[in-house]
Amino acid sequence: MFVDFQNQWSPPEPPAPKPAPRQNKRAESITAWIIGLNLVMLLVGPLAGATLFDAVVAMFKH
């Protein structure tokens, strides 16, 4: 069977993607607070963990 590849129709253009919906002001504020809390815990968490680890080790030494 003969297939003519030179005179084919071009495929239709894909539809343009829809932009993602924006958050409202309250949701943006909550997101900012969550990110801020995570950054603070990133700095404070290892210190608190090390302190608890030292306390457990000291408790088992006595």
Side-chain angles (χ1 to χ4, degrees), residues 2-62:
F2 176 72
V3 180
D4 185 15
F5 287 113
Q6 294 193 9
N7 292 327
Q8 284 188 344
W9 291 356
S10 60
E13 293 292 325
K18 294 180 181 178
R22 295 235 6 189
Q23 293 182 340
N24 57 19
K25 291 290 183 184
R26 183 170 187 266
E28 286 180 3
S29 174
I30 290 172
T31 304
W33 276 103
I34 290 172
I35 290 172
L37 178 66
N38 281 326
L39 289 175
V40 168
M41 291 308 294
L42 182 69
L43 298 173
V44 175
L47 297 175
T51 304
L52 289 175
F53 183 71
D54 286 342
V56 170
V57 169
M59 197 168 63
F60 283 117
K61 280 188 177 179
H62 286 98

